[in-house]
C-alpha cells in the first residue's frame, strides 16, 4: 500500500539558526535543516524466511512529525532502523530528499540522523555535557564549539547547563536523562530525527510533561521526525500524521490524527483505534468560531469557566465537567468571542461506523 501526504506544506519548516552539516563545515544560510523521507517498496526478510516488512511505501515531508504505530511485531521499529541502516533493507529504496541511503556510507549517514531510544543509551562514564557533544566530537569540532553547542542544547531542552552539564547520567532522573538523549540527538543539527519509544520508560506524569516540552522543542527546531510508539494517545498528541501498520509492515492507513480517528480506512484500523476513538477525536478537534453561540445581550454569571479559542474540544469538555458548568466562555486573548455549550460538543456530527 502506498501513501503520499496530500499537502507537503502542512509542516513548512524554517532553517535552524545553528548547526553543522555532516562534514563538520558550518551549514550555509538557507540550507534546509530537515529532509524529506521516502520509502519505496521497502522489504525486510530475515535469513529464516521471516518477513518483517513487505513492500512498504511511505512519504514523510520535511519538517513533519510522523508516528509509526501498530501491534507488537508489526515491523515499526524495523522500519525505523532501516532508515539509518542499523538494519539493512532486503529490497526497495529509502531516500533522504533525493539521496538513496542504501548507497551512502552508513557511518556518515548516521552522523546526519539523530537517534533517540527508549533507554536513552547515555555513556555512564561521561558527563552530561560530554554525552551531548558525542557526534560533534566525532565530526572534529573544536572543544570550545562543542561546549557552546552542548550548553545551547541543554538550555533548549530545559536543563540548566551550569547545573546539569557536569553531572553523570546516574545523577539524573529518568525524565532528565531522556532530555539529555534528545539534546545529544540534535547536537550536530541532523536533517532527520528517529525516536523509538522515547517516553515509554518514564512515569505517566513525567511522560505527559516530556511530550509537552517535545512539542515546544519541535516548534523551535522543526526537524523531520519519525517516532515509534505503542501508545495511541501519544501518537494522536504528537503526530502531524500517523501510520498504522499491521503484521508484516503492511500500511493500513496514513493520515492526520483527526482523519484517522474520524474516518478509519478498514476494520483493522477501526478496531485498533478502539471504541473510544470519539473521545480521542475531541483531543484533535480545535474550538472554532462556527461552534460558538454568540455573545449574550444580557449579563451571564461571572463564574462561567473560560477556554481559549483554538484549544481542543477535549479540553473544553474537561473544563465543563470539572466545573459542573453547561457553558464556557471562549476567549481570544483576554476577550470573550462566544459561548460553547456541553451539548454542542457532544452533538458534533461525526461519520458513523458501519453496522455489522
Amino acid at each position: 500500500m502506498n501513501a503520499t501526504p496530500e499537502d507537503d506544506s502542512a509542516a513548512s519548516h524554517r532553517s535552524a539558526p545553528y548547526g553543522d552539516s555532516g562534514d563538520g563545515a558550518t551549514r550555509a544560510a538557507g540550507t534546509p535543516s530537515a529532509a524529506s523521507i521516502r520509502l519505496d517498496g521497502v522489504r525486510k526478510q530475515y535469513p529464516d524466511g521471516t518477513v518483517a516488512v513487505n513492500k512498504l511505501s511511505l512519504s514523510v515531508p520535511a519538517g513533519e512529525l510522523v508516528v509509526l504505530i501498530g501491534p507488537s511485531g508489526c515491523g515499526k521499529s524495523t522500519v525505523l532502523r532501516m532508515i539509518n541502516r542499523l538494519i539493512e533493507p532486503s529490497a526497495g529504496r529509502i531516500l533522504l530528499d533525493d539521496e538513496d541511503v542504501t548507497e551512502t556510507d552508513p557511518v556518515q549517514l548516521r552522523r546526519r540522523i539523530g537517534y533517540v531510544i527508549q533507554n536513552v543509551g547515555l555513556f555512564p562514564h561521561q558527563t552530561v555535557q560530554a554525552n551531548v557533544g558525542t557526534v560533534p566530537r566525532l565530526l572534529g569540532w573544536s572543544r570550545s564549539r562543542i561546549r557552546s553547542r552542548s550548553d545551547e542544547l541543554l538550555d533548549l531542552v530545559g536543563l540548566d547547563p551550569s547545573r546539569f552539564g557536569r553531572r553523570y547520567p546516574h545523577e539524573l532522573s529518568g525524565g532528565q536523562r531522556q532530555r539529555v538523549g534528545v539534546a545529544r540527538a540534535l547536537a550536530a543539527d541532523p536533517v532527520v530525527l528517529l525516536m523509538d519509544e522515547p517516553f515509554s520508560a518514564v512515569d505517566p506524569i513525567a511522560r505527559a510533561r516530556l511530550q509537552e516540552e517535545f512539542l515546544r522543542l519541535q516548534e523551535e527546531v522543526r526537524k523531520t521526525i519519525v517516532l515509534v510508539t505503542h501508545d495511541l494517545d501519544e501518537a494522536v498528541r504528537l503526530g502531524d500524521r500517523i501510520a498504522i501498520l499491521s503484521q508484516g509492515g503492511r500500511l493500513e492507513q496514513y493520515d492526520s490524527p483527526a482523519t484517522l480517528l474520524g474516518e478509519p480506512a478498514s476494520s483493522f484500523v477501526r478496531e485498533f483505534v478502539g471504541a473510544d476513538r470519539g473521545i480521542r477525536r475531541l483531543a484533535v478537534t480545535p474550538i472554532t468560531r462556527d461552534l460558538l453561540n454568540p455573545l449574550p445581550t444580557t449579563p451571564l454569571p461571572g463564574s462561567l469557566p473560560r477556554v481559549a479559542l483554538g484549544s481542543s474540544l477535549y479540553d473544553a469538555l474537561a473544563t465543563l465537567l470539572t466545573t459542573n458548568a453547561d457553558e464556557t466562555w471562549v476567549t481570544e486573548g483576554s476577550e470573550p468571542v462566544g459561548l460553547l455549550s456541553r451539548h454542542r460538543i457532544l452533538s458534533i456530527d461525526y461519520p458513523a461506523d458501519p453496522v455489522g
Side-chain angles (χ1 to χ4, degrees), residues 120-299:
V120 188
L122 299 179
F123 299 116
H125 61 286
Q126 292 185 359
T127 65
V128 164
Q129 193 175 72
N131 267 284
V132 174
T134 299
V135 175
R137 196 160 51 249
L138 292 172
L139 293 174
W141 291 21
S142 69
R143 187 173 300 178
S144 62
R145 191 175 176 203
I146 293 171
R147 170 71 179 268
S148 175
R149 179 62 170 158
S150 296
D151 287 354
E152 177 187 6
L153 283 167
L154 287 174
D155 187 62
L156 190 65
V157 299
L159 295 175
D160 182 351
S162 64
R163 181 181 173 191
F164 292 98
R166 295 188 176 278
R167 292 189 184 181
Y168 288 85
H170 72 271
E171 298 175 301
L172 304 177
S173 69
Q176 289 167 345
R177 286 194 295 271
Q178 203 65 53
R179 289 184 181 91
V180 175
V182 172
R184 182 177 64 179
L186 291 171
D189 197 20
V191 294
V192 167
L193 186 60
L194 306 178
M195 308 185 78
D196 196 350
E197 303 271 12
F199 309 126
S200 62
V202 296
D203 65 81
I205 294 175
R207 184 181 309 133
R209 186 165 59 248
L210 284 169
Q211 290 168 353
E212 184 177 338
E213 292 176 358
F214 181 68
L215 287 173
R216 175 195 58 78
L217 180 66
Q218 172 65 345
E219 284 297 314
E220 293 273 337
V221 300
R222 211 63 200 172
K223 295 296 180 184
T224 306
I225 300 173
V226 182
L227 183 148
V228 165
T229 184
H230 66 276
D231 184 340
L232 182 60
D233 290 324
E234 181 170 84
V236 167
R237 184 177 190 186
L238 298 181
D240 294 310
R241 290 182 173 89
I242 300 173
I244 294 187
L245 304 179
S246 58
Q247 294 299 319
R250 173 183 168 81
L251 183 61
E252 295 287 342
Q253 188 166 355
Y254 183 40
D255 267 312
S256 69
T259 301
L260 187 140
L261 293 171
E263 303 173 41
S266 66
S267 57
F268 177 90
V269 175
R270 192 175 301 111
E271 181 178 350
F272 184 82
V273 299
D276 59 349
R277 63 187 177 86
I279 298 297
R280 290 192 172 101
R281 194 160 44 197
L282 292 178
V284 293
T285 305
I287 300 172
T288 53
R289 290 180 181 269
D290 61 296
L291 297 175
L292 306 183
N293 295 321
L295 291 171
T297 55
T298 57

